Amino acid sequence: MHDPNRIAGLIAAQAHAQRQRLQIAAAAGAVVSVAAVCLLGLSGWFITGAALAGMAGMAAVQAFNYMMPSAIIRLLAILRTGARYIERVAGHEAALKALARLRPQLFDALASAPPERALSLSSGEASARLVQDVDAVQTLFVRKSAPWALGAGAASSALLAGLASPLAGGLLLAAMTVSCLGVMVIARRLSDPAGKEAQIAVGALKDRLAALEAVAPELKAYDLNDWAVQQAASAADRHDSAQIALTTSAGWMTVSQAVVTAAALAVVVFATLGAPLSLTALAALATIMGMESAAGLVGALHQNGAAKAAIARLDQAAPQVLPHDGTRPPPPSLTLIAANANLRPPHRLGLSGPSGAGKTTFIERLIGLRDAHPGEVVMGGLDIASLSPATRRARFAYAAQDVRLLNGTVRDNLLLAGPGGDDTLWRVLEDAALAERIRAEPLGLDMPVGVNGERLSGGERRRLGLARAYLRTAPWLVLDEPTEGLDAATEAQVLKALERRLVENKQGLILVSHRTAPIQICQTRLRIEGMAQDGRVLVTPERQTAVV
């Protein structure tokens, strides 16, 4: 089930949680605009007035008050600097604290989504969603002070211009309205599409780079480095083109604002003809700073397309989580319907069959990594298709054929399965025939394994995944090709430890293997022949084909 407002709801919740900091940032932004407008306007009035007083003679010089305007100018300069600092600190602190809470929520939503959605994103695309897209959302928090700054700047500049002529104040407000409307049109036509394309392009670039990195050894072996560079360059070109378009739109916004500012300055000065020159100078400089107060809005609109695209992409990546079915975990008994096989821990089931027949697909359906077909398997008297994936997963400890490892230490990768002290970690490594290899390392359990375990061999990665599955407490242990790539002696050592663990823990076993030795430790053996037209796997129990 997809909830298109889910991410917007999370963002709104974080904005509410950070409302105090955002209010401080908005108030400080308003003070910055007012101080900047008054500072430049008063400076223009003061310099012009002082010059006119000097030209009028000594009597005018003696009567002119230099002290009070000088003190106010210094005060305004201090206020502008201090308020700018407060605005930046409060706004960015609110954004960073919000994102620190958003990222875990987004990751949880992604990981808890329906299996077909959660597993459909590549690592590069998922990384782009959780990094670049969330960074784009950050601007929503930082720019919340922009409307307040614009409003305060418009009001103060219009008031100062109105001191010279009420018409000048009205014309300035009209010019600021025209400037904002023009920037909004440019943003909608240029910035929004470019920002959306930039978010998509960075995801495609990271996806391509991740895919090429994953097959780096093969690319080197087949001398395809030049081809890989071209593939990466092609994805980078799309990203660069989007960034160029986005930068170009920012340039047009700046040009538009500059043109309207020049026109506003001309009409305001014209409207103040007949007023004292010092007030004309005040109105002119207040106009410039008033128009400048719209800069925050320009930046917000420039980034608006990227932010909207990021929210849409995050909504797509993290749809509504499937609700828990609300039932207690069923008993761990399993019935494979068509095979008429009733299993209960500590029973051992072996699955064999040709490559591509659907062995891995079947166990992934069973344990909740894929949608289950009704009528395939019954767990504790309930069809597994009626159970949520989370309920099913709780009954199994799984070691996949394709082992995925964190770019961390051996300890980090083991503790993914659950808590355990050093003694427990060494015990599961012993049972996986990997303890001797890890003890040989100076750092032991704190040895880094590298990106996806690149510092380990294929067999060692597989055994580390096996050790991780041993740490998880569950009625059933599910192993997919646990001894693939191992020599006979190591395989025998692993299987001996596996049998001992199954007896000690009274744990059931579901094992997939092409090899004879692992299948021989299983009491029930089924052969999976392929997939039926309805998607279910074909099983041969005792030489008879049936549909499961």
Side-chain angles (χ1 to χ4, degrees):
M1 180 178 178
H2 182 70
D3 181 2
N5 298 315
R6 185 167 190 222
I7 302 303
L10 292 177
I11 294 172
Q14 290 306 318
H16 180 73
Q18 301 299 326
R19 64 187 181 280
Q20 185 174 6
R21 292 183 178 88
L22 293 173
Q23 289 169 355
I24 293 173
V31 171
V32 169
S33 289
V34 172
V37 169
C38 294
L39 175 61
L40 193 59
L42 182 59
S43 297
W45 172 86
F46 180 58
I47 293 171
T48 305
L52 292 174
M55 294 171 61
M58 290 302 297
V61 170
Q62 294 297 326
F64 190 81
N65 185 349
Y66 290 90
M67 301 302 295
M68 182 60 69
S70 298
I72 294 176
I73 288 172
R74 290 195 177 193
L75 174 62
L76 290 172
I78 293 171
L79 278 176
R80 184 182 66 172
T81 303
R84 175 69 73 189
Y85 176 79
I86 293 172
E87 179 197 16
R88 294 294 173 86
V89 169
H92 283 82
E93 185 178 13
L96 293 174
K97 285 184 177 296
L99 295 192
R101 292 166 174 79
L102 268 177
R103 277 198 173 94
Q105 290 176 324
L106 290 170
F107 181 83
D108 178 65
L110 177 61
S112 303
E116 67 277 8
R117 183 66 64 89
L119 300 177
S120 64
L121 288 180
S122 66
S123 58
E125 183 64 24
S127 173
R129 304 284 173 104
L130 291 172
V131 179
Q132 275 73 25
D133 287 347
V134 175
D135 284 344
V137 170
Q138 176 181 347
T139 63
L140 296 176
F141 296 91
V142 175
R143 71 194 197 202
K144 280 187 177 294
S145 61
W148 295 93
L150 173 60
S156 57
S157 61
L159 286 173
L160 290 182
L163 294 177
S165 165
L167 177 60
L171 290 173
L172 176 55
L173 286 177
M176 294 186 71
T177 301
V178 170
S179 176
C180 292
L181 290 175
V183 168
M184 290 173 65
V185 170
I186 295 173
R188 179 167 296 182
R189 294 194 174 184
L190 298 179
S191 294
D192 285 5
K196 180 179 179 180
E197 175 62 18
Q199 292 302 117
I200 295 173
V202 74
L205 175 59
K206 296 193 73 170
D207 183 39
R208 196 59 181 159
L209 291 176
L212 293 172
E213 181 187 21
V215 294
E218 288 81 1
L219 292 175
K220 292 178 181 179
Y222 290 101
D223 195 21
L224 291 175
N225 284 345
D226 291 341
W227 174 84
V229 169
Q230 291 176 356
Q231 293 291 307
S234 177
D237 285 343
R238 179 186 177 187
H239 175 258
D240 292 344
S241 297
Q243 289 295 331
I244 290 172
L246 192 59
T247 303
T248 301
S249 69
W252 281 114
M253 285 182 173
T254 303
V255 169
S256 169
Q257 193 180 21
V259 170
V260 177
T261 299
L265 183 61
V267 297
V268 166
V269 170
F270 181 79
T272 60
L273 292 179
L277 288 178
S278 57
L279 290 181
T280 297
L282 182 150
L285 293 176
T287 297
I288 294 174
M289 288 311 298
M291 298 297 295
E292 181 65 24
S293 65
L297 177 65
V298 173
L301 292 174
H302 178 242
Q303 298 168 332
N304 194 50
K308 289 194 295 186
I311 292 174
R313 282 162 52 82
L314 290 171
D315 268 323
Q316 184 184 31
Q320 183 66 42
V321 177
L322 285 179
H324 196 280
D325 49 39
T327 62
R328 297 179 62 183
S333 61
L334 297 175
T335 301
L336 279 62
I337 296 175
N340 196 26
N342 298 307
L343 313 173
R344 180 182 295 274
H347 199 88
R348 304 173 193 173
L349 169 66
L351 300 175
S352 61
S355 296
K359 300 183 294 297
T360 298
T361 299
F362 175 70
I363 62 173
E364 287 180 349
R365 289 175 184 167
L366 175 64
I367 68 176
L369 295 182
R370 293 178 185 266
D371 288 336
H373 282 291
E376 276 189 330
V377 179
V378 171
M379 178 187 295
L382 300 173
D383 193 314
I384 62 170
S386 68
L387 300 174
S388 69
T391 299
R392 282 182 274 159
R393 291 172 199 155
R395 313 306 278 166
F396 301 96
Y398 180 46
Q401 180 178 6
D402 183 15
V403 181
R404 298 288 182 174
L405 300 178
L406 291 176
N407 184 12
T409 65
V410 172
R411 187 194 307 275
D412 294 334
N413 281 278
L414 289 174
L415 292 180
L416 285 176
D422 283 6
D423 291 342
T424 301
L425 300 186
W426 282 117
R427 189 178 307 118
V428 296
L429 288 173
E430 289 279 2
D431 291 343
L434 194 58
E436 184 177 350
R437 162 73 171 88
I438 303 304
R439 283 196 178 97
E441 292 289 331
L443 295 177
L445 293 172
D446 295 318
M447 163 197 168
V449 301
V451 178
N452 201 26
E454 64 182 8
R455 296 188 59 181
L456 302 174
S457 69
E460 289 168 346
R461 288 197 296 271
R462 192 178 300 276
R463 281 177 282 158
L464 184 56
L466 179 62
R468 182 164 60 193
Y470 285 163
L471 276 176
R472 181 174 171 85
T473 302
W476 290 97
L477 179 63
V478 181
L479 306 180
D480 194 351
E481 301 288 0
T483 63
E484 186 71 21
L486 303 184
D487 59 79
T490 304
E491 180 181 55
Q493 183 180 353
V494 169
L495 293 177
K496 181 178 179 181
L498 172 61
E499 289 194 90
R500 177 179 52 77
R501 289 187 63 88
L502 293 173
V503 172
E504 290 177 355
N505 299 330
K506 297 181 174 55
Q507 195 173 28
L509 174 67
I510 301 174
L511 184 145
V512 175
S513 183
H514 288 94
R515 299 166 70 99
T516 302
I519 291 294
Q520 286 181 340
I521 72 171
C522 298
Q523 298 153 330
T524 300
R525 305 170 194 174
L526 301 176
R527 180 175 175 82
I528 294 180
E529 303 290 353
M531 307 286 286
Q533 289 185 350
D534 62 0
R536 291 183 291 177
V537 292
L538 296 168
V539 174
T540 305
E542 300 178 350
R543 298 184 180 180
Q544 292 184 3
T545 300
V547 177
V548 174

